[in-house]
Structure formats: C-alpha cells, structure tokens
C-alpha cells in the first residue's frame, strides 16, 4: 500500500536530518529527529518559531519515556492507563540526551505518545524520538488536514497524508514535576477527566510575557480574518457589524435580528457535541479564512470539559 512506502520514505528523511509533516489525532505535526539539533533547527526556521517555544517529543510508547526523562513511574503508569496513547503531553525532568534546542533550554521536556495509526507507524519505522510542534507557521491556525499543512509550507516539506485529525485541538499539557501536577495548556483531554483520575490538579494557563508553556501566549492560533469572540447571541445586537460577516456558532441557534446583514454561518456541531466542536474547530476557521470576510464573529462554546480548551483557543485567536 502506498501509505507504507510513504512512511518508510518519511522515516528515511528523518534519519537524514530532514523535516516531515505527519498526521496525529490532535493536529498535524512538523517532525524532526529529536536527538539531532541541526534537524530540530529546521523546524524553528520553517515555522518562524521563536527559540523560546519548546517542542513536544513524540514517542511510540510509554516504555521509551525513561530513556529521555525522569518521572514518578507510578503516576505516569496511572495516566497512561487512562489516557495514553492520546492527546496528553507530560512535562517531566529531561535527561541530558535531549538537546537544549528542543526544550528551549528548560530542564524539562514535554513527551507525548500519539494514538494516530500513521504517527505510530512512523515512530515505529524511525525508531527514535521525534520532536514536533504543530505544522503551521508560528501563531497561525493549527492544521487538522494535510491541505492546511500544504497551505503553510507548499512543497518545502514532505507531508504524510492521513485523515483529518480526530480530536482536532492540541494535546493537554500536564506538568508532572509539580505536586499536584499542573495543567499548562488545556487540550484534548479535559481537566475534569484528569482530575477524575488524579484528584485536584492546578491550572497555570494564564498568558505571561515569559510563558512556561507558550501555548499560553496571549495571541496564538490566529486566522488572517479579524475574529471577534462573544459570550452569546444577544451580544451581536451591541456590535457595529459590517454588511457581510462570518458567524461561527457552537450549535444551531435561532435568532430574528440582523435580517439586513449577509451572514456566512458555520456551526461547529449540529448535535451540540463538544468532541465534534473540537474536531471541526480549526477546520472551519481555515475555511472561513478563505472567504475574504471583513470579520468573523464567534460565539463561545459551553465552558465545560473540552469546551474550555476550545474557548481558550477562541480567546487567543481573537483580535483585540
Ligand atoms: P505545539 O505542538 O505547536 O502546540 O507546541 C508545543 C507546545 O508544547 C509549546 O508551545 C509549549 O506550550 C509546550 N511545551 C513543550 N515543551 C514544554 C516544556 N518543557 N514545558 C512546558 N511546556 C512545554
Ligand atoms: Mg502550535
């Protein structure tokens, strides 16, 4: 099958110190051999990513983690039992074998075990750790389909093509070097789900100028079209709106005003399902971004579970 020869080729490129894009269940990643600083540097250059923003190291399974990091085994086993492979990155104390460039000089490393089949096969074929952030230009919308990756990098990067990302938002980043552990970025695994397993955790997701986790940066995930985020439909009445604009709704909503406007409406989930909202989120923002609208107005999704991760992204994507 073609996909297998593509995977063999992608692993070959990784061994040569090249960068490849690959699908994961969260978003597409831009990967390089994590133990080769020259290869990792290419990721930063391609993405125009500042060096202070560390990458996530992708491994095939939990057994490999102790080669690259130090951690409390019992805690990791408990998390693994419930969530791995899957959209959860664990920040652990790093071992010296991980180059400083990967971790932006931090003494910690974020490790993730992706669930996506193609990502798994690539990691297996390559055999080593793959450093990978999302396969987009720094600060822009994350890619959940290979066409989004192509839009960013064209032919400059080999893209392993897979299905669109099933989770659709980035991994949750959990720092397990603190007691209790700290969520540094909300993502594909909800805080509630983690707390159901570990008990109360801390959250430290507030943007600062020197972020511990740059998913925390105040402006991120931005479309090119100006985006405005509001709490509910009634807030629309108070806005000065252009004649034509995009409207992003979490679920179907009825309203009887703004008849004189031309609205391009998109709905994240027709069944009010938070997982589906996450899966559609970046994909719909990418699509709206191609329509040359002067403005997109988005209504926040229900602020529970994975919905909080979506709302975090909406806030950071909005133009202030
Ligand atoms: P991306 O995959 O594009 O979301 O980028 C990876 C993200 O992982 C970074 O922006 C950070 O938020 C986070 N990250 C990676 N390594 C660390 C670390 N050692 N400590 C805290 N956050 C990290
Ligand atoms: Mg990213």
């Amino acid at each position: 099958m073609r996909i297998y020869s593509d995977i063999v080729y992608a692993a070959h490129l990784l061994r040569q110190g090249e960068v490849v894009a690959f699908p994961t269940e969260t978003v597409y990643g831009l990967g390089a051999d994590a133990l080769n600083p020259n290869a990792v540097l290419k990721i930063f250059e391609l993405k125009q990513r500042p060096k202070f923003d560390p990458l996530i190291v992708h491994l095939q399974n939990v057994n490999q983690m102790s080669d690259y990091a130090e951690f409390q085994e019992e805690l990791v086993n408990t998390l693994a039992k419930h969530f791995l492979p899957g959209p959860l990155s664990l920040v652990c104390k790093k071992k010296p074998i991980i180059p400083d460039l990967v971790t932006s000089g931090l003494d910690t490393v974020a490790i993730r075990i992706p669930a996506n089949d193609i990502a798994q096969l690539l990691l297996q074929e390559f055999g080593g750790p793959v450093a990978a952030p999302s396969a987009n230009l720094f600060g822009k919308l994350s890619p959940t389909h290979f066409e989004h990756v192509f839009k960013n990098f064209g032919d400059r990067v080999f893209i392993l093509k897979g299905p669109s990302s099933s989770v659709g938002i980035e991994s949750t980043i959990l720092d397990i070097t603190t007691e209790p552990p700290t969520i540094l970025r909300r993502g594909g695994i909800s805080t509630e789900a983690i707390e159901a397993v570990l008990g109360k955790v801390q959250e430290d997701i507030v943007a600062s100028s020197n972020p511990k986790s740059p998913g925390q940066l105040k402006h991120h995930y931005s479309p090119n079209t100006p985006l405005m985020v509001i709490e509910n439909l009634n807030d629309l009445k108070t806005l000065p709106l252009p004649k034509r604009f995009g409207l992003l709704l979490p679920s179907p909503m009825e309203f009887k005003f703004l008849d004189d406007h031309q609205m391009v409406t998109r709905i994240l989930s027709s069944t009010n399902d938070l997982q589906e909202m996450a899966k559609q989120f970046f994909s719909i923002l990418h699509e709206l971004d191609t329509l040359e609208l002067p403005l997109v107005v988005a209504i926040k999704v229900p602020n529970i579970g994975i919905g909080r991760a979506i709302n975090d992204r909406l806030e950071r994507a909005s133009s202030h």
Side-chain angles (χ1 to χ4, degrees):
M1 252 167 42
R2 171 154 176 89
I3 192 68
Y4 286 101
S5 55
D6 282 355
I7 286 164
V8 170
Y9 180 60
H12 165 78
L13 289 175
L14 290 176
R15 269 180 231 112
Q16 300 286 311
E18 295 302 329
V19 168
V20 300
F22 61 99
T24 86
E25 68 278 18
T26 56
V27 303
Y28 272 67
L30 193 63
D33 178 352
L35 303 183
N36 178 345
N38 289 326
V40 172
L41 186 61
K42 292 179 186 169
I43 296 178
F44 284 92
E45 288 171 351
L46 272 164
K47 280 191 59 113
Q48 297 165 28
R49 180 180 180 104
K51 303 266 175 27
F52 64 71
D53 193 354
L55 310 182
I56 295 172
V57 172
H58 292 67
L59 300 176
Q60 199 196 336
N61 58 56
V62 179
N63 298 335
Q64 299 171 328
M65 273 182 68
S66 53
D67 293 343
Y68 309 103
E70 286 169 30
F71 48 85
Q72 220 184 298
E73 230 168 88
E74 210 178 309
L75 174 61
V76 168
N77 287 340
T78 304
L79 287 165
K81 196 173 114 208
H82 289 87
F83 304 119
L84 303 181
L88 177 66
S89 298
L90 300 178
V91 171
C92 316
K93 192 166 181 317
K94 95 177 188 70
K95 285 193 170 172
I97 188 172
I98 298 287
D100 286 337
L101 185 59
V102 172
T103 62
S104 301
L106 297 170
D107 59 2
T108 54
V109 58
I111 293 185
R112 177 161 127 67
I113 321 284
N116 176 279
D117 291 343
I118 296 174
Q120 275 285 328
L121 286 167
L122 176 65
L123 288 164
Q124 189 183 341
E125 182 65 30
F126 176 60
V130 172
S134 51
N136 54 335
L137 290 169
F138 180 70
K140 296 295 182 184
L141 290 177
S142 296
T144 55
H145 191 278
F146 59 80
E147 279 167 9
H148 304 152
V149 183
F150 189 78
K151 203 162 75 179
N152 274 278
F153 302 111
D155 289 327
R156 285 181 299 153
V157 176
F158 177 74
I159 305 173
L160 262 182
K161 295 181 180 136
S164 42
S165 300
S166 58
V167 174
I169 56 172
E170 290 82 352
S171 60
T172 299
I173 296 181
L174 184 68
D175 183 346
I176 56 170
T177 69
T178 63
E179 171 56 41
T182 307
I183 289 177
L184 298 178
R185 176 176 74 186
R186 293 182 184 138
I189 303 280
S190 70
T191 304
E192 291 92 322
I194 290 171
E195 290 193 326
V197 170
L198 296 187
K200 197 88 192 128
V201 295
Q202 318 176 61
E203 280 192 337
D204 180 8
I205 56 161
V206 186
S208 68
S209 57
N210 184 18
K212 251 185 260 148
S213 182
Q216 296 177 319
L217 287 173
K218 214 165 174 175
H219 300 285
H220 214 68
Y221 315 113
S222 302
N224 295 320
T225 312
L227 177 74
M228 192 176 263
V229 180
I230 58 178
E231 296 289 329
N232 56 57
L233 214 43
N234 277 328
D235 294 345
L236 268 183
K237 292 182 187 165
T238 64
L239 296 177
L241 293 165
K243 197 106 205 101
R244 179 169 175 265
F245 66 96
L247 181 61
L248 180 61
L249 302 176
S251 51
M253 294 175 176
E254 291 251 5
F255 58 100
K256 294 208 167 58
F257 47 94
L258 295 172
D259 282 345
D260 49 339
H261 285 71
Q262 238 185 297
M263 279 171 288
V264 180
T265 305
R266 292 290 180 274
I267 293 167
L268 288 173
S269 168
S270 58
T271 55
N272 202 19
D273 176 272
L274 287 169
Q275 301 288 339
E276 191 186 5
M277 291 179 204
K279 181 171 160 52
Q280 298 301 332
F281 179 68
F282 280 119
S283 164
I284 289 182
L285 284 177
H286 274 285
E287 195 241 329
L288 285 170
D289 227 8
T290 63
L291 304 180
E292 292 183 10
L293 298 160
L295 175 73
V296 170
V297 181
I299 296 184
K300 281 195 184 169
V301 311
N303 208 35
I304 45 164
I306 195 175
R308 295 164 76 202
I310 302 173
N311 285 336
D312 282 355
R313 281 159 185 71
L314 271 179
E315 261 166 39
R316 283 167 223 251
S318 68
S319 3
H320 295 267

